Amino acid sequence: MTSKQAGNDDAAAMADGITPSLAELVALRAVVTARGQARRGRFGISGHALSPLRGRGMEYAESREYSSGDDARHIDWRLTARTGRAHTKLFQAERERLSLIVADTSPALYFGTRVRFKSVQAARAGAIAAWAAVRDGDRIAALRGSRTEAPVAPAAGPRGALRVLDALVRWYARPPQDDAGLDVALDHAQRLLRPGSRLLVLADAQSVAAIAQRRWPALAQHHEVIVLLLTDPLEDAPPKSPLPFQHDDRRIELDLASAAQRQAWRNEFVRPIERVMAQLPAVGVRVQSLSTQVASDSWLPLLGRNRPLVA
């Protein structure tokens, strides 16, 4: 393990790669800023997600017949002249969207062989998501699979992002003793989400593979869902030479020379990733693996594709 940073996040604060620091997560705001400003929607750059609710806002939605009490300044004169009946214009109402970060805190994440632990990469990816939410004018919230700890309540702006970053530092400093699993975290998320929300799941592939497949289409139907699978290069390509481990002050060597042992390794670490990568896109969930040795912002292009409207 080294403290050398990878890719585009060289500007971020340096850390030991074993535990995340608030300073390095705060510094990632500059990475998001460098990647671009607020998203460009159908009608240009917008700081907030647009609601399908009809109201008085900035973007024209449709026209309907004039009703008593409508603002005369919004009369659609062309349609009125064409139909012979008074019509008024309606506009898309702007609403703050919710960006919810769900953090898997299973023990498998607190491990790494290149650049940083998977847990640290998860914290950094969550920070990227929080700063992207600030950029886009969203409210930010976060939670993990716990039956005792309440979610980080939604809040907008840098203050909301900092509350999420503080939680990520706490959660990924060491495995929480009360981790109840990703399934419980998604239960909490479903109670917090509203139609049109953005949901980012930071998880180990085995945690995602254990979730009932039927849950994902239900989430993707009403929300923008992104799943980042935290991986380590050792899991993808183990050495053929004996692999040493330290466990309870004992040195253990795992011999991966035989085909059978390497297949068992593949079944344990690689197959869950392949299964998730194949299944989730088919139900509308965007998914990407995020190795510990790549830039923490490399997944940002996933944001904003076919963005759903906020209800």
Side-chain angles (χ1 to χ4, degrees), residues 189-204:
Q190 286 186 303
R191 290 193 287 269
L192 192 62
L193 291 168
R194 297 294 180 268
S197 299
R198 170 181 287 160
L199 172 63
L200 175 70
V201 179
L202 309 167
D204 184 77

Side-chain angles (χ1 to χ4, degrees), residues 54-127:
R54 300 297 185 250
R56 303 305 183 185
M58 296 300 295
E59 306 295 352
Y60 171 76
E62 61 184 27
S63 294
R64 62 160 172 76
E65 288 197 25
Y66 180 87
S67 298
S68 178
D70 286 343
D71 192 333
R73 294 174 298 178
H74 295 148
I75 289 178
D76 187 335
W77 294 108
R78 291 185 178 180
L79 187 56
T80 297
R82 189 166 64 248
T83 63
R85 299 186 304 275
H87 282 74
T88 186
K89 294 180 180 179
L90 298 181
F91 299 84
Q92 288 277 17
E94 288 189 347
R95 295 288 184 87
E96 288 181 322
R97 178 177 57 183
L98 172 65
S99 282
L100 176 61
I101 298 169
V102 170
D104 178 20
T105 53
S106 64
L109 285 172
Y110 300 81
F111 160 83
T113 64
R114 303 288 192 280
V115 183
R116 57 181 68 96
F117 275 18
K118 293 195 291 184
S119 52
V120 174
Q121 186 72 310
R124 292 170 65 88

Side-chain angles (χ1 to χ4, degrees), residues 15-303:
D16 63 7
I18 298 175
T19 57
S21 70
L22 185 59
E24 75 175 300
L25 301 192
V26 170
L28 288 170
R29 184 176 190 178
V31 176
V32 175
T33 301
R35 291 290 295 263
Q37 301 302 315
R39 59 178 172 262
R40 182 172 294 275
R42 185 165 53 127
F43 297 102
I45 292 177
S46 173
H48 296 280
L50 295 176
S51 168
L53 300 177
R54 300 297 185 250
R56 303 305 183 185
M58 296 300 295
E59 306 295 352
Y60 171 76
E62 61 184 27
S63 294
R64 62 160 172 76
E65 288 197 25
Y66 180 87
S67 298
S68 178
D70 286 343
D71 192 333
R73 294 174 298 178
H74 295 148
I75 289 178
D76 187 335
W77 294 108
R78 291 185 178 180
L79 187 56
T80 297
R82 189 166 64 248
T83 63
R85 299 186 304 275
H87 282 74
T88 186
K89 294 180 180 179
L90 298 181
F91 299 84
Q92 288 277 17
E94 288 189 347
R95 295 288 184 87
E96 288 181 322
R97 178 177 57 183
L98 172 65
S99 282
L100 176 61
I101 298 169
V102 170
D104 178 20
T105 53
S106 64
L109 285 172
Y110 300 81
F111 160 83
T113 64
R114 303 288 192 280
V115 183
R116 57 181 68 96
F117 275 18
K118 293 195 291 184
S119 52
V120 174
Q121 186 72 310
R124 292 170 65 88
I128 292 289
W131 292 124
V134 171
R135 177 198 66 187
D136 292 348
D138 295 350
R139 293 177 299 130
I140 315 120
L143 58 84
R144 64 183 183 89
S146 171
R147 302 186 191 280
T148 57
E149 182 176 358
V152 178
R159 182 178 179 182
L162 288 172
R163 291 167 58 183
V164 168
L165 267 53
D166 180 71
L168 292 171
V169 169
R170 288 189 290 104
W171 296 341
Y172 286 122
R174 62 187 62 84
Q177 296 299 310
D178 65 339
D179 177 64
L182 185 59
D183 203 47
V184 170
L186 292 177
D187 285 341
H188 295 335
Q190 286 186 303
R191 290 193 287 269
L192 192 62
L193 291 168
R194 297 294 180 268
S197 299
R198 170 181 287 160
L199 172 63
L200 175 70
V201 179
L202 309 167
D204 184 77
Q206 292 185 1
S207 297
V208 178
I211 299 298
Q213 183 67 9
R214 65 180 180 275
R215 297 202 68 159
W216 300 109
L219 286 168
Q221 183 178 4
H222 301 291
H223 316 293
E224 179 184 2
V225 183
I226 298 172
V227 174
L228 296 184
L229 304 176
L230 285 306
T231 65
D232 184 86
L234 179 67
E235 298 170 332
D236 299 331
K240 292 184 178 179
S241 57
L243 185 63
F245 289 93
Q246 193 77 17
H247 178 68
D248 293 337
D249 297 327
R250 292 186 300 121
R251 180 183 174 88
I252 301 173
E253 288 193 351
L254 181 62
D255 188 0
L256 295 171
S258 75
Q261 289 168 326
R262 295 183 72 82
Q263 185 61 46
W265 181 283
R266 178 178 176 81
N267 292 341
E268 182 72 15
F269 295 108
V270 180
R271 285 290 174 82
I273 297 174
E274 293 176 343
R275 185 163 66 251
V276 169
M277 295 286 285
Q279 291 176 345
L280 294 195
V283 296
V285 175
R286 301 172 205 155
V287 59
Q288 180 172 316
S289 63
L290 187 64
S291 172
T292 58
Q293 64 180 352
V294 305
S296 303
D297 65 325
S298 60
W299 63 274
L300 263 179
L302 290 181
L303 296 182

